[in-house]
Amino acid sequence: MVAEPEGPEDRKPQSDEAHSAFTPPPGVGQPDVPEEDHPSSEFAVPAGVGTEGPAGPEGSAFALPSTYSAKSSPPAFTPAHGIPMVRLTSHAPWQDRMRAMLRMPVGERPVPEAVQRHEEGGPAVPRVLDLTLRIGELLLAGGEGAEDVEAAMFAISRSYGLDRCEPTVTFTLLSITHQPSLVDDPVTANRTVRRRGTDYTRLAAVYRLVHDISTEESEVSLEEAYRRLAEIRRNRHPYPGWALTLAGGLLAGAASVLVGGDALVFLAAAISAMLGDRLAWLCAGRGLPEFYQFVAAAMPSAAMGVALTLSPLDVRASAVITGGLFALIPGRALVAGVQDGLTGFYITAAARLLEVGYLVVGIVVGVLSVLYLGLALGAGLNPETAIHSVDRPLVQTLAAMALSLCFAVLLQQERNTVLWATFNGGIAWVVYGALANNAGVSPVAATAAAAGLVGLFGQVLSRYRFASALPYVTAAIGPLLPGSATYFGLLEIARNDLNSGLTQLTKAAALALAIAIGVNLGGELSRLFLRMPGVQGPLRRAAKRTRGF
């Protein structure tokens, strides 16, 4: 319906034309107003200044501007800072897709398209958040890095259609916030991780669940996801307790052979490690903290080494103690802590490294208490013994692979990943031996190179199997752990030579950091150069360097 134009009589009078209550009667003219009595306004246009013409018809706020051209139109989505939009197709792993979006501001993230179906009224926000937190709890308790836990939580929330979600992961607390819009109140839920356990079979099952939820090929409702999550929690460990104790003993025996021991040393290291494992289980059953469990587990190996030194047998006792230390050094927590620090999760990294520090102090207390007693009894423990002087490449490579195999069993890995971890550990030792023994490279640099190769292979296997990289990496770094440097540092301290002891312990710390940084660098190189099909743009936006301020 078109409105008729207004006539002169219908036009609203201007302020100067408004009629006054003192209008003279008809036939009487209006008296002239003196010049000085003309009303003027402070907003009057000065003389000589032109006024604008009449405004055109009012348009809509959503109308296209006159300068718009469809041929030269801007792209559909351009961030405010001008960086091109990240395009990740469904062919890319969900880890890469979620990492790319987690580092983007909320306003720049693409609107999620619900992968999984839900009720017509929309997704059940409290249930989706609860499911997200429960899955994140299992991942964090299993030793996964904070960045991967956040990526998994973000993938679940977006798969069920929740936009504007922000997951947050610390060492013991998980939280997620969902804000439906800018005018709605946010909904926040959190969960505390109180118990941690090492079970990579459960970790792999959680990764498969996240992969099925985040892909369009499989339909997983909320009820089905809760059912599968309950089954994952109820599943028993793949290996019984006696198998874990036996694996711990064989790990210590293989580590003793790796550093120059013979058959008798292998047997002594295995027996002492199994005894330490049972002693630690006894302390755990009595409710003692993990610190005291490590103190108790470190004592039998040191006591066995002291006993062999006091005996008339010609046995390399240092290899027995070193083998026991290989089974106790928390390499998994160390790698996870350094990885969290390198990816920007400093609070979680500090907490993980503090945990590693407490466990290492527990090992130090257990070993030193026995070494002090052995030296008081006259044990001839010699710190100058070069346990790496024995050059047996084939035997040491087989021992390294056996060590990685036993480590994989202790980590409760799936049987189809144990073989990959075993081969990865053998390759790591071959690379380390070739660089350190043949090429003359420093042990720290050789360790970093071997660990980088482990991280690279582990990340490649995990990316193409849509699984976690931990089962392929953690067990493979076992042969590289600084067991010998740790033992000799403790022995020097027991002999009241603090300078040499601290030097050896510093070397052990440098080797441990080289392992952690090498593993992380290998994973980053795999993401940098080995792109998946359909991936364009950066997989993860990095933080800007501070330039010293």
Side-chain angles (χ1 to χ4, degrees):
M1 182 175 180
V2 181
E4 297 181 359
E6 298 177 347
E9 66 280 358
D10 298 329
R11 184 170 57 87
K12 181 179 178 181
Q14 300 296 327
S15 59
D16 293 340
E17 298 176 358
H19 295 282
S20 173
F22 302 98
T23 303
V28 179
Q30 182 75 23
D32 295 334
V33 181
E35 184 68 26
E36 63 274 6
D37 292 340
H38 276 292
S40 61
S41 171
E42 58 180 319
F43 301 103
V45 180
V49 178
T51 60
E52 297 181 358
E58 295 184 358
S60 172
F62 302 96
L64 295 176
S66 58
T67 58
Y68 176 80
S69 174
K71 295 182 179 180
S72 60
S73 61
F77 179 83
T78 302
H81 47 74
I83 296 178
M85 180 180 61
V86 177
R87 295 181 176 87
L88 296 173
T89 66
S90 59
H91 300 287
W94 60 266
Q95 297 98 319
D96 290 341
R97 290 186 279 123
M98 297 304 113
R99 285 193 192 101
M101 285 187 287
L102 270 175
R103 295 291 180 94
M104 299 172 62
V106 179
E108 299 178 10
R109 294 173 183 170
V111 178
E113 297 181 0
V115 176
Q116 303 298 332
R117 299 178 182 177
H118 47 74
E119 299 177 359
E120 295 182 358
V125 175
R127 297 198 67 194
V128 173
L129 297 183
D130 179 70
L131 175 67
T132 302
L133 290 173
R134 290 178 182 272
I135 291 178
E137 177 190 10
L138 285 181
L139 292 176
L140 187 62
E144 194 61 80
E147 184 183 34
D148 293 322
V149 175
E150 281 196 0
M153 296 172 64
F154 195 65
I156 296 168
S157 61
R158 289 183 66 88
S159 298
Y160 286 108
L162 295 188
D163 192 12
R164 308 181 68 86
C165 283
E166 284 293 335
T168 304
V169 176
T170 59
F171 186 60
T172 58
L173 183 65
L174 297 146
S175 65
I176 185 169
T177 301
H178 167 63
Q179 188 173 14
S181 66
L182 294 176
V183 297
D184 293 327
D185 295 332
V187 180
T188 302
N190 53 52
R191 195 172 183 88
T192 303
V193 179
R194 302 189 182 277
R195 296 189 60 185
R196 300 178 183 274
T198 304
D199 189 345
Y200 283 0
T201 299
R202 177 180 296 176
L203 189 68
V206 175
Y207 259 78
R208 284 193 293 269
L209 175 59
V210 177
H211 172 67
D212 292 341
I213 291 176
S214 58
T215 55
E216 300 179 355
E217 289 76 11
S218 57
E219 181 178 348
V220 182
S221 62
L222 278 175
E223 289 73 16
E224 176 68 15
Y226 269 106
R227 185 190 64 79
R228 291 179 57 178
L229 189 61
E231 291 180 355
I232 293 173
R233 287 181 174 274
R234 287 195 301 264
N235 281 346
R236 298 179 60 86
H237 299 308
Y239 307 104
W242 63 267
L244 299 180
T245 302
L246 181 61
L250 294 178
L251 189 153
S256 65
V257 174
L258 190 67
V259 295
D262 53 11
L264 184 58
V265 170
F266 175 88
L267 184 61
I271 293 175
S272 60
M274 288 188 288
L275 182 60
D277 179 77
R278 288 295 91 190
L279 195 58
W281 276 105
L282 181 62
C283 295
R286 296 296 185 270
L288 291 178
E290 199 171 10
F291 174 84
Y292 300 104
Q293 298 175 27
F294 271 76
V295 172
M299 287 183 172
S301 296
M304 181 68 74
V306 171
L308 290 175
T309 303
L310 295 174
S311 68
L313 298 175
D314 185 14
V315 179
R316 192 183 293 268
S318 58
V320 176
I321 303 176
T322 302
L325 292 178
F326 267 87
L328 295 177
I329 295 176
R332 174 182 59 87
L334 176 66
V335 171
V338 174
Q339 180 179 358
D340 287 341
L342 293 176
T343 52
F345 295 84
Y346 300 114
I347 297 177
T348 307
R352 288 187 190 271
L353 294 178
L354 184 62
E355 179 190 33
V356 172
Y358 273 109
L359 299 182
V360 171
V361 170
I363 297 173
V364 169
V365 171
V367 174
L368 277 181
S369 59
V370 177
L371 290 182
Y372 277 126
L373 180 61
L375 292 176
L377 296 176
L381 297 172
N382 186 10
E384 286 78 19
T385 303
I387 58 177
H388 280 290
S389 60
V390 180
D391 189 13
R392 299 176 298 177
L394 181 59
V395 174
Q396 290 177 327
T397 302
L398 293 177
M401 296 178 67
L403 191 153
S404 299
L405 174 64
C406 297
F407 212 157
V409 174
L410 287 176
L411 294 173
Q412 302 279 3
Q413 292 188 195
E414 291 181 309
R415 291 177 173 83
N416 59 352
T417 64
V418 170
L419 187 61
W420 291 105
T422 302
F423 282 123
N424 206 6
I427 293 173
W429 179 258
V430 169
V431 172
Y432 171 81
L435 293 177
N437 300 332
N438 298 332
V441 180
S442 66
V444 175
T447 301
L453 198 60
V454 168
L456 178 63
F457 287 167
Q459 194 63 234
V460 169
L461 289 173
S462 67
R463 285 163 60 84
Y464 285 93
R465 295 170 67 93
F466 295 94
S468 172
L470 291 180
Y472 306 102
V473 171
T474 307
I477 64 174
L480 304 176
L481 293 175
S484 59
T486 303
Y487 163 68
F488 284 128
L490 298 180
L491 182 58
E492 292 284 8
I493 293 176
R495 293 165 58 93
N496 293 325
D497 191 353
L498 293 180
N499 292 331
S500 299
L502 292 178
T503 301
Q504 290 290 336
L505 291 180
T506 303
K507 178 183 177 182
L511 292 173
L513 290 177
I515 293 173
I517 295 175
V519 169
N520 180 265
L521 180 60
E524 296 298 332
L525 289 177
S526 69
R527 298 191 188 104
L528 183 62
F529 296 109
L530 302 178
R531 295 294 181 87
M532 296 294 292
V535 180
Q536 301 177 5
L539 299 182
R540 180 181 61 195
R541 183 176 298 175
K544 299 293 184 182
R545 65 189 180 98
T546 59
R547 300 179 185 270
F549 52 83

